[in-house]
Amino acid sequence: MYTQGLDQQGDGPTLVENEQDLLEKFQAKVDAEEKIEPKDWMPAAYRKTLIRQIAQHAHSEIIGMQPEGNWITRAPSLRRKQILLAKVQDEAGHGLYLYSAAETLGVSRDELVDQLIDGTAKYSSIFNYPTTSWADIGAIGWLVDGAAIMNQIPLCRCSYGPYARAMVRVCKEESFHQRQGYEIMIALSRGSDEQKAMMQDAFNRWWWPSLMMFGPSDNDSKHSAQSMAWKIKRFSNDELRQKFVDATVPQAEYLGLTVPDPDLKFNEETGHYEFGEIDWQEFYDVIQGNGPCNRQRLAARKSAHENGAWVREAAAAYAEKQRQRKEAA
């Protein structure tokens, strides 16, 4: 039942449960809906999966500032400018919450940022599409943030405590972002023919990438089954995608938009919308760095990181000076 080992401090021998016992207790805790905390024992694969997922989520928030930040100076009114500026600031905050959550798993923020900048880390493929009109800002808030909310609300019940708690605030703020985007679309729907055409064009371009945000079918995912067992993930990709389509199509109809899917139809028997095949080759192409704005997004992030080096150095110097003052006192 037990094997001889050393405690974490290395002060001497202690009785340590063997790995199988630890795994069983860990899974029992997860199954009982108890949170796993940073100092709790956890399987190495669980820790690795969380680092990968949380880091990817954090990177997506940071890169996701760019498509909308591109329109801050060109927003059509001061009110719109203020709202958009606040939203982009929120996204930066989300990235910081998530990097902090990842750090509780033993990885440094510097390491995660380096992985993003050198291209070894992934972020959501949808942020590699351009924002070519003001209607794109509405479409991102409505569709992209709407899809994100579908993905993220279940994460508030994630088995890992720091991630779950971070997601509570993130989801509350994302709900405002989704409403902000839809409000832009409502305004455009009541505007001129040109504005309505601009809205339809944005919808056409963002509809399919939004469906891709949920990821391929779980049958094709090497991570989903284990993530479900560990309660990192609560619903399958296909379940969440279907929920998103069912909620969004009626909203599009209210706006007077035509869904760019000739195969879309409502199934009276199932109570769900059926939709056409997703072009997963496009999804994989973008993930592999061949999207419309992949290089532009990473170049901008790298430039911002390099130009901000003096701020990090100044903050570190200030912290060291404060530490020395306390020691002297």
Side-chain angles (χ1 to χ4, degrees), residues 119 121-130 209 212 279-295 297-298:
K122 302 296 183 184
Y123 58 87
S124 181
S125 61
I126 201 161
F127 297 118
N128 288 312
Y129 290 88
M212 295 176 195
D279 183 1
W280 289 113
Q281 187 56 54
E282 176 184 335
F283 173 79
Y284 289 118
D285 285 345
V286 176
I287 282 181
Q288 291 167 7
N290 299 313
C293 299
N294 287 68
R295 294 173 182 81
R297 299 288 183 245
L298 283 179

Side-chain angles (χ1 to χ4, degrees), residues 172-192:
K172 287 180 179 179
E173 293 179 350
E174 291 290 2
S175 69
F176 281 102
H177 300 171
Q178 196 269 347
R179 293 179 209 175
Q180 171 254 353
Y182 196 62
E183 194 266 340
I184 289 176
M185 300 302 266
I186 289 176
L188 291 172
S189 74
R190 296 170 179 170
S192 65

Side-chain angles (χ1 to χ4, degrees), residues 95 102 109 151:
R109 187 173 308 195
N151 265 321

Side-chain angles (χ1 to χ4, degrees), residues 42-303:
M42 64 188 75
Y46 177 82
R47 185 185 301 274
K48 182 178 179 181
T49 296
L50 280 169
I51 290 174
R52 175 186 58 79
Q53 180 171 326
I54 298 173
Q56 180 175 318
H57 193 167
H59 298 331
S60 298
E61 298 284 358
I62 297 301
I63 294 293
M65 297 164 63
Q66 293 186 40
E68 293 176 298
N70 180 44
W71 277 89
I72 290 174
T73 59
R74 295 181 288 161
S77 70
L78 179 59
R79 174 178 174 270
R80 296 292 186 192
K81 193 186 300 290
Q82 290 174 314
I83 293 171
L84 185 57
L85 186 61
K87 181 185 178 184
V88 172
Q89 181 175 280
D90 281 350
E91 307 297 0
H94 297 172
L96 296 180
Y97 305 153
L98 293 164
Y99 283 135
S100 294
E103 285 179 309
T104 67
L105 292 159
V107 62
S108 73
R109 187 173 308 195
D110 286 343
E111 182 180 352
L112 296 177
V113 171
D114 287 345
Q115 290 172 358
L116 171 62
I117 291 174
D118 66 23
T120 58
K122 302 296 183 184
Y123 58 87
S124 181
S125 61
I126 201 161
F127 297 118
N128 288 312
Y129 290 88
T131 46
T132 58
S133 75
W134 173 249
D136 286 38
I137 304 305
I140 288 176
W142 171 38
L143 299 174
V144 176
D145 292 331
I149 290 169
M150 290 290 182
N151 265 321
Q152 293 172 6
I153 287 178
L155 290 173
C156 295
R157 296 189 293 124
C158 170
S159 60
Y160 188 59
Y163 192 22
R165 291 188 288 272
M167 290 314 303
V168 172
R169 178 167 180 174
V170 170
C171 287
K172 287 180 179 179
E173 293 179 350
E174 291 290 2
S175 69
F176 281 102
H177 300 171
Q178 196 269 347
R179 293 179 209 175
Q180 171 254 353
Y182 196 62
E183 194 266 340
I184 289 176
M185 300 302 266
I186 289 176
L188 291 172
S189 74
R190 296 170 179 170
S192 65
D193 290 342
E194 183 180 3
Q195 288 172 316
K196 292 176 182 178
M198 180 173 66
M199 177 178 65
Q200 181 68 59
D201 174 66
F203 184 49
N204 292 345
R205 288 182 287 105
W206 289 96
W207 172 252
W208 290 109
S210 296
L211 297 192
M212 295 176 195
M213 281 183 68
F214 297 95
S217 172
D218 291 270
N219 296 328
D220 302 323
S221 173
K222 60 183 179 180
H223 300 295
S224 287
Q226 185 60 74
S227 291
M228 295 276 276
W230 282 331
K231 297 188 186 298
I232 296 173
K233 186 174 184 176
R234 296 283 179 160
F235 300 97
S236 72
N237 296 345
D238 291 328
E239 286 175 317
L240 292 172
R241 185 170 17 251
Q242 184 65 62
K243 186 177 180 181
F244 174 75
V245 171
D246 290 344
T248 306
V249 171
Q251 295 172 347
E253 292 174 347
Y254 177 80
L255 292 170
L257 292 167
T258 300
V259 179
D261 180 0
D263 296 323
L264 182 77
K265 61 181 179 180
F266 186 73
N267 187 317
E268 296 285 352
E269 293 183 4
T270 65
H272 296 295
Y273 284 93
E274 297 176 358
F275 50 93
E277 290 292 323
I278 296 172
D279 183 1
W280 289 113
Q281 187 56 54
E282 176 184 335
F283 173 79
Y284 289 118
D285 285 345
V286 176
I287 282 181
Q288 291 167 7
N290 299 313
C293 299
N294 287 68
R295 294 173 182 81
Q296 175 184 331
R297 299 288 183 245
L298 283 179
R301 179 88 294 273
K302 182 177 180 180
S303 176

